Amino acid sequence: MKRLWQAAMEARENGIRENDLFFDVSDTSSPYGEATVKNAYTPFGPIEGMVAVNPYYSYEAIFDHIIRPGKIPELTKYLCDLILHHLWKVDAFSGMDLEGFYVRFLEEDILAGAFGLEVCLSDFTKQEIRRIAYFYLRLCRTGDYERCFCDILAGMYKRSWINAREDGSIVLFLNQKFSPVEERRVVAIQSIFLQAGRKCRIFWDIPPGIVECQETTIGNFVLF
């Protein structure tokens, strides 16, 4: 037996976009279950991503006044589909704490292009998008641009060093081979988390300074 949110997540995890999900209340497979996924694994056809829903299983109080057993008009079917699109998200989020709930909504905003064209979504994994949402929520709460910027980069580049200098500028040592994709990623994070005009110097896989001078605590080079 699947609950509504489980059926919706199963369809999405198998490549069905949310806009292609249709919750059908006129074709229930069992009175003892809430939802059944149909054709979720087939990328073709007019019923792509269809989920048959028993609307009386958990939501009788909502649907008892909207539909009646038997033939359901087409307009009513689409109205029920809109309602169920909302209900499965409410169910899916109900087990989260409040912070997780906010992060999920921020994640959806990011995927919808809330940060504009400067953030190329294809450059980031799903987990990184969620991480951006988490730190952006922290930024909204604390206003600590520098801390949030440093923390998210430290998570994305495990071998990086980040120095904040006395003049207010930031120096990044990413220990990462340069590529156009990596450059876009760093610039996108910078545009989200640093104030406009904040200076930020980026070094990739070659540390700056004088090589083979006296040994320092971080190697045989001198930083500025």
Side-chain angles (χ1 to χ4, degrees), residues 18-178:
E18 184 174 346
N19 289 343
D20 293 327
L21 277 175
F22 185 80
F23 297 97
D24 185 12
V25 297
S26 64
D27 181 19
T28 55
S29 58
S30 169
Y32 305 105
E34 185 169 85
T36 303
V37 181
K38 293 190 172 185
N39 299 316
Y41 311 101
T42 305
F44 306 106
I47 54 175
E48 176 183 7
M50 181 178 288
V51 177
V53 181
N54 180 348
Y56 301 106
Y57 190 87
S58 299
Y59 308 111
E60 181 178 0
I62 297 174
F63 290 99
D64 189 48
H65 304 288
I66 300 175
I67 60 178
R68 294 288 182 270
K71 187 173 179 61
I72 301 175
E74 287 296 313
L75 183 59
T76 305
K77 287 184 184 180
Y78 287 101
L79 172 63
C80 293
D81 173 61
L82 289 174
I83 295 172
L84 288 164
H85 266 280
H86 173 71
L87 289 175
W88 88 258
K89 291 183 180 180
V90 172
D91 276 356
F93 294 157
S94 61
M96 298 179 180
D97 59 18
L98 192 58
E99 182 173 87
F101 190 75
Y102 290 152
V103 166
R104 281 298 181 94
F105 274 106
L106 277 171
E107 183 184 357
E108 289 189 0
D109 286 343
I110 294 171
L111 292 173
F115 289 139
L117 298 178
E118 290 184 356
V119 180
C120 183
L121 298 177
S122 61
D123 291 340
F124 298 91
T125 65
K126 184 176 180 179
Q127 289 74 22
E128 287 171 338
I129 293 292
R130 185 164 298 172
R131 190 173 180 84
I132 290 172
Y134 169 79
F135 280 104
Y136 190 77
L137 177 62
R138 183 196 288 185
L139 173 61
C140 292
R141 287 174 170 171
T142 66
D144 192 342
Y145 293 87
E146 184 178 295
R147 182 74 268 163
C148 292
F149 176 70
C150 292
D151 285 349
I152 191 169
L153 277 180
M156 292 172 61
Y157 300 97
K158 302 297 184 182
R159 299 171 59 240
S160 64
W161 311 328
I162 304 173
N163 290 343
R165 305 184 69 195
E166 292 182 358
D167 61 3
S169 64
I170 292 178
V171 181
L172 305 180
F173 309 97
L174 295 178
N175 283 322
Q176 171 81 25
K177 189 174 179 61
F178 173 82

